[in-house]
Amino acid sequence: MRSKTAIEIYAYWDALRGHRDVPSRSQIEPGQIRNILSDLFILEKTPRGDIRFRLAGTRICSLFARELRGSTFDALWLASQTGRLARIADNVMTEKTPVVLSASSLAGTADRLPTEIILLPLRSPDGVVDRIIGALVPHSRPLWLEATPVNYLDLDGIRVLDIEKTNLFMQSRPEKPLPAPRQHAVHSSMSDQGIAGAIRRVLHLRVFEGGRND
């Protein structure tokens, strides 16, 4: 991981899980990570199987110049990659395995902007892993970024994090580069409502109501 935000949210997630494979989403205390909330998001798997944004940090929404309320996670990516990104997010939950994505943010005629995304699984009170907490952070913020929204993300590589390793950053699995595209290929009992309320008080995340109440 290259971004401080990704490292910090992983360390927080890892501390919450303790000796378990995945922490519960009810354990998340926004005040403990308030300095990075604007770069964080929460995804949820809907009853139909879609993976959609439930919460999105203000800097992420500003990056794409739109609210991400109800948007699917794969809608942020190039059309040729949407199916793959949906499967990756689903696998993070079903396999209970954190993943780091290397990507390029594409904005009009601007240069490709290296970007890091981390996806960390979360468990429901009923024991089902159906949510992801993550971060989306460009490695730099050039001047054009203030005036030119990102249109899409282009996936460059995937790294699966081995949570059994003591030294995560030295012993995690190496990033798997993607093949070149073909030419012409197109609190401990806190509920979701409580989390949303806490986030409102911190004022770093946009809260999008809706979804399941469990």
Side-chain angles (χ1 to χ4, degrees), residues 13 16 22-25 28 42-43 93 120-124 128-133:
W13 177 89
L16 289 182
V22 177
S24 171
R25 65 175 183 254
I28 297 174
I42 290 182
L43 303 174
M93 292 181 283
L120 304 165
L122 293 175
R123 188 181 301 278
S124 298
V128 177
V129 179
D130 62 356
R131 297 211 178 170
I132 289 172
I133 187 168

Side-chain angles (χ1 to χ4, degrees), residues 179-194:
R182 296 178 182 177
Q183 189 174 8
H184 305 303
V186 190
H187 63 12
S188 62
S189 62
M190 183 180 276
S191 65
D192 282 347
Q193 185 175 359

Side-chain angles (χ1 to χ4, degrees), residues 36-57:
I36 59 172
L37 283 176
S38 59
D39 292 316
L40 301 184
F41 58 83
I42 290 182
L43 303 174
E44 69 172 343
K45 189 172 184 178
T46 70
R48 295 190 306 174
D50 297 333
I51 299 173
R52 296 180 177 270
F53 283 95
R54 183 176 180 86
L55 307 177

Side-chain angles (χ1 to χ4, degrees), residues 5 28 39 64 78 101 156 168 175 183:
T5 298
I28 297 174
D39 292 316
F64 292 91
L78 290 174
L101 307 177
D156 297 323
L168 168 72
E175 181 174 291
Q183 189 174 8

Side-chain angles (χ1 to χ4, degrees), residues 2 63 105 112-115 137-145:
R2 294 176 57 188
L63 188 67
S105 294
R112 296 169 66 92
L113 179 61
T115 302
V137 186
H139 290 309
S140 64
R141 290 193 172 268
L143 293 178
W144 60 258
L145 193 59

